């Protein structure tokens, strides 16, 4: 596998697959960063037999089963685009990364994947862009700056730059300089990728997991109508939250935005598709505008369908 300052192998440990620790969630407001499923590129004879998607406040889990009609084999390139961190778009909003690990800052959503039960060691492509389009990766690296604009030492590194360098970066919309304070404006795009061989002898099962970067806010009359409309929150649940707020116990609400990539090569329907919304606790609330979900336990809602294509954005509101 290739390794360099831009392309590196990410070590994903099996121990992370069985971790049961509860993430530390932010006390709002925070900005969500959307992510979706895998992106496939390969032969036209490969198809998704089944897809099982689970969305919770602290996890997104997807299991795909692939097969091919090719007599020999089909080679697939598979990618997982991480949430884009774009400081120009965030405009000072806080971002809560419950899976962030300073020892492995590249994998800031705790991503892991398995193929037929065996851990994947993907390569990773990490790049920085100004105005969302211009690749400034090498320029930042040459200046000794971290590619992640949310890195703990980014402010210190920027402050060490000479005024001429700062101004040059500002002229390229890579940073902003206000009252001699330098702030990053670049966007970070991180993509994990690997290859898999699918044969006609047996289907291939691919599992992957990550912790979504949730948005959050304190429930209030200011945001109530907007949240009710976007997440189809019932009048009964909204009234309950209003009562809590009136008692001085306004809850923090969280939301997850599942956003499938538009360029997934395998875009055909799955023979079997299951969507599970996991609210975590029996006293919690989960609300979404996705139709067809039915309760299957005290904590889960499910939608089971055939011939469904995973190309729909899903927004889920969680209240603990």
């Amino acid at each position: 596998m290739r390794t360099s300052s831009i392309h590196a192998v990410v070590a994903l440990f099996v121990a992370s697959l069985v971790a049961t620790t509860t993430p530390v969630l932010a006390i709002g407001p925070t900005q969500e960063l959307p992510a979706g499923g895998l992106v496939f590129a390969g032969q036209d004879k490969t198809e998704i037999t089944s897809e099982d998607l689970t969305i919770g406040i602290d996890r997104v889990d997807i299991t795909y089963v692939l097969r091919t009609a090719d007599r020999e084999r089909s080679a697939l390139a598979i990618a997982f685009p991480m949430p884009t961190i774009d400081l120009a778009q965030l405009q000072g909003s806080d971002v809560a990364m419950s899976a962030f690990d300073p020892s492995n800052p590249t994998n800031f959503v705790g991503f892991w994947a398995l193929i037929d039960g065996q851990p994947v060691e993907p390569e990773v492509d990490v790049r920085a862009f100004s105005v969302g389009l211009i690749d400034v990766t090498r320029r930042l690296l040459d200046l000794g700056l971290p590619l992640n604009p949310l890195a703990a030492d980014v402010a210190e590194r920027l402050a060490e730059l000479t005024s001429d360098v700062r101004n040059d970066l500002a002229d390229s919309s890579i940073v902003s300089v206000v009252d001699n304070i330098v702030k990053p404006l670049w966007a970070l795009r991180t993509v994990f990728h690997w290859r898999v061989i699918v044969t006609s002898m047996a289907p291939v099962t691919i599992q992957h997991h990550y912790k979504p970067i949730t948005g959050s806010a304190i429930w209030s009359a200011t945001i109530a109508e907007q949240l009710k409309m976007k997440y189809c929150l019932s009048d009964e649940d909204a009234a309950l939250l209003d009562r809590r707020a009136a008692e001085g116990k306004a809850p923090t609400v969280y939301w997850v935005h599942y956003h499938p990539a538009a360029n997934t090569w395998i875009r055909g329907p799955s023979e079997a598709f299951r969507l599970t919304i996991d609210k975590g606790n029996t006293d919690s609330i989960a609300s979404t505008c996705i139709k067809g979900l039915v309760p299957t336990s005290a904590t889960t809602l499910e939608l089971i369908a055939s011939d469904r294509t995973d190309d729909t954005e899903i927004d889920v509101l969680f209240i603990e």
Side-chain angles (χ1 to χ4, degrees):
M1 294 185 181
R2 293 171 296 169
T3 58
S4 70
S5 56
I6 301 177
H7 299 83
V9 176
V10 177
L12 303 177
F13 299 101
V14 177
S16 68
L17 309 185
V18 295
T20 57
T21 55
T22 301
V24 178
L25 297 176
I27 297 176
T30 62
Q31 178 67 48
E32 86 279 5
L33 298 182
L38 300 181
V39 177
F40 299 92
Q43 304 297 322
D44 58 3
K45 293 182 180 180
T46 303
E47 60 186 14
I48 298 175
T49 301
S50 66
E51 180 179 351
D52 194 332
L53 166 62
T54 298
I55 299 175
I57 191 173
D58 61 351
R59 68 185 180 108
V60 173
D61 292 294
I62 311 179
T63 298
Y64 303 88
V65 178
L66 307 179
R67 70 181 180 192
T68 180
D70 196 302
R71 290 186 177 182
E72 295 183 357
R73 70 176 197 168
S74 292
L76 285 176
I78 299 176
F80 173 65
M82 299 268 276
T84 297
I85 302 174
D86 189 339
L87 268 291
Q89 294 294 324
L90 288 172
Q91 297 181 341
S93 299
D94 288 331
V95 175
M97 297 183 182
S98 61
F100 183 79
D101 180 359
S103 66
N104 186 12
T106 301
N107 189 7
F108 54 83
V109 296
F111 170 82
W112 56 256
L114 304 174
I115 297 178
D116 290 336
Q118 298 301 309
V120 172
E121 291 189 356
E123 295 181 69
V124 60
D125 186 78
V126 184
R127 297 185 183 274
F129 294 85
S130 68
V131 297
L133 297 170
I134 304 170
D135 192 331
V136 295
T137 305
R138 180 52 57 191
R139 193 169 179 184
L140 295 179
L141 291 176
D142 288 345
L143 291 170
L145 295 171
L147 296 184
N148 189 332
L150 297 180
D153 61 343
V154 68
E156 178 183 354
R157 297 286 186 87
L158 288 171
E160 294 172 349
L161 300 176
T162 67
S163 59
D164 287 344
V165 172
R166 296 180 196 176
N167 292 335
D168 184 56
L169 293 177
D171 290 344
S172 300
S173 298
I174 298 173
V175 303
S176 66
V177 181
V178 179
D179 295 331
N180 208 34
I181 298 176
V182 189
K183 294 183 179 180
L185 287 179
W186 67 84
L188 176 74
R189 295 183 189 171
T190 306
V191 179
F192 292 100
H193 58 98
W194 64 95
R195 291 184 299 171
V196 66
I197 302 300
V198 184
T199 71
S200 59
M201 301 300 293
V204 171
T205 299
I206 302 175
Q207 300 167 263
H208 82 100
H209 159 96
Y210 61 91
K211 293 186 177 183
I213 298 178
T214 61
S216 65
I218 304 297
W219 178 265
S220 68
T222 305
I223 62 173
E225 287 304 317
Q226 176 186 357
L227 295 180
K228 284 173 62 178
M229 180 176 297
K230 183 173 182 178
Y231 301 99
C232 296
L233 186 67
S234 69
D235 291 338
E236 180 182 4
D237 286 337
L240 172 62
L241 300 179
D242 286 339
R243 288 196 298 271
R244 291 183 186 176
E247 295 169 356
K249 301 176 182 178
T252 301
V253 298
Y254 305 89
W255 53 87
V256 174
H257 185 179
Y258 178 79
H259 190 294
N263 58 341
T264 297
W265 191 87
I266 300 179
R267 188 48 88 187
S270 302
E271 293 181 7
F273 176 87
R274 178 169 65 179
L275 168 64
T276 302
I277 304 297
D278 183 2
K279 63 180 185 178
N281 301 309
T282 56
D283 296 332
S284 299
I285 297 171
S287 185
T288 178
C289 293
I290 297 295
K291 304 298 183 182
L293 288 160
V294 297
T296 52
S297 75
T299 60
T300 56
L301 303 168
E302 286 189 1
L303 165 66
I304 297 177
S306 60
D307 297 328
R308 177 187 170 107
T309 301
D310 181 16
D311 57 3
T312 301
E313 294 185 41
I314 301 174
D315 292 289
V316 187
L317 184 70
F318 294 95
I319 303 100
E320 294 188 312

